[in-house]
Amino acid sequence: MGRIPTSVVAASGLVGGYGVARWTKQRPLGGVALAAAGAVAARQWAQSAGAGKAAALSGLYVAAFAGSHPLARKVGAWPSVFAVAGGVALASWAVERKG
């Protein structure tokens, strides 16, 4: 079985973390899902693109999570989560594509 693309892991962490928090009504549990996917993504980014780019993408991942909150007030929760997840996925794909 092949490796799951890092862009998918990162986007799934953002969407899944929110989904877990919302459906279980346990925000810390959503945070665990978010952090676990972020850790997996960071490891894969480091392997494929190097430590510097992994740090930048990890920072983007955290910034996307934080930025989704004020964006949600303007466009709604799910659209905000999908927007930031898509942005992180696109950035991940672009960085890994270039190596």
Side-chain angles (χ1 to χ4, degrees):
M1 184 163 140
R3 183 180 87 145
I4 297 171
T6 314
S7 57
V8 174
V9 173
S12 297
L14 290 161
V15 173
Y18 176 68
V20 167
R22 182 167 180 139
W23 289 314
T24 65
K25 296 183 175 43
Q26 299 292 320
R27 289 177 65 140
L29 193 55
V32 169
L34 177 81
V40 170
R43 183 175 51 87
Q44 287 183 208
W45 286 323
Q47 290 173 349
S48 65
K53 290 178 183 174
L57 287 167
S58 295
L60 177 63
Y61 184 80
V62 172
F65 166 69
S68 70
H69 293 82
L71 181 60
R73 288 188 212 109
K74 296 179 191 253
V75 299
W78 280 112
S80 172
V81 170
F82 287 132
V84 300
V88 169
L90 182 60
S92 175
W93 173 80
V95 168
E96 286 190 305
R97 184 173 160 249
K98 292 180 182 181

